[in-house]
Amino acid sequence: MTEREFEAKLAELDRLLNDPEIRMDPEHVWALLAEISTQEPRVLAEA
């Protein structure tokens, strides 16, 4: 998964969890979490 895809999945997850106008779909949330959790943690570079 590219960094762009990873960020898109995080944004989608954030929207699903925090946008009151979007119906909660637990299966989709768990699927996104499963995909995200398979990625290696990224080390944030210090500025």
Side-chain angles (χ1 to χ4, degrees), residues 3 8-9 13 23 37:
E3 187 170 341
K9 289 188 185 297
L13 181 61
R23 187 178 75 78
S37 69

Side-chain angles (χ1 to χ4, degrees), residues 12-29 32:
E12 183 178 1
L13 181 61
D14 183 61
R15 190 177 67 252
L16 287 170
L17 293 174
N18 295 306
D19 188 339
E21 297 192 13
I22 295 179
R23 187 178 75 78
M24 177 62 73
D25 180 2
E27 280 186 39
H28 190 60
V29 170
L32 283 169

Side-chain angles (χ1 to χ4, degrees), residues 26-39:
E27 280 186 39
H28 190 60
V29 170
W30 285 113
L32 283 169
L33 286 170
E35 287 181 62
I36 290 168
S37 69
T38 63
Q39 299 302 302

Side-chain angles (χ1 to χ4, degrees), residues 1-2 5-7 9 24-25 31 33 35 37 43-44:
M1 176 183 309
T2 67
E5 291 170 328
F6 182 79
E7 290 175 3
K9 289 188 185 297
M24 177 62 73
D25 180 2
L33 286 170
E35 287 181 62
S37 69
V43 177
L44 298 175

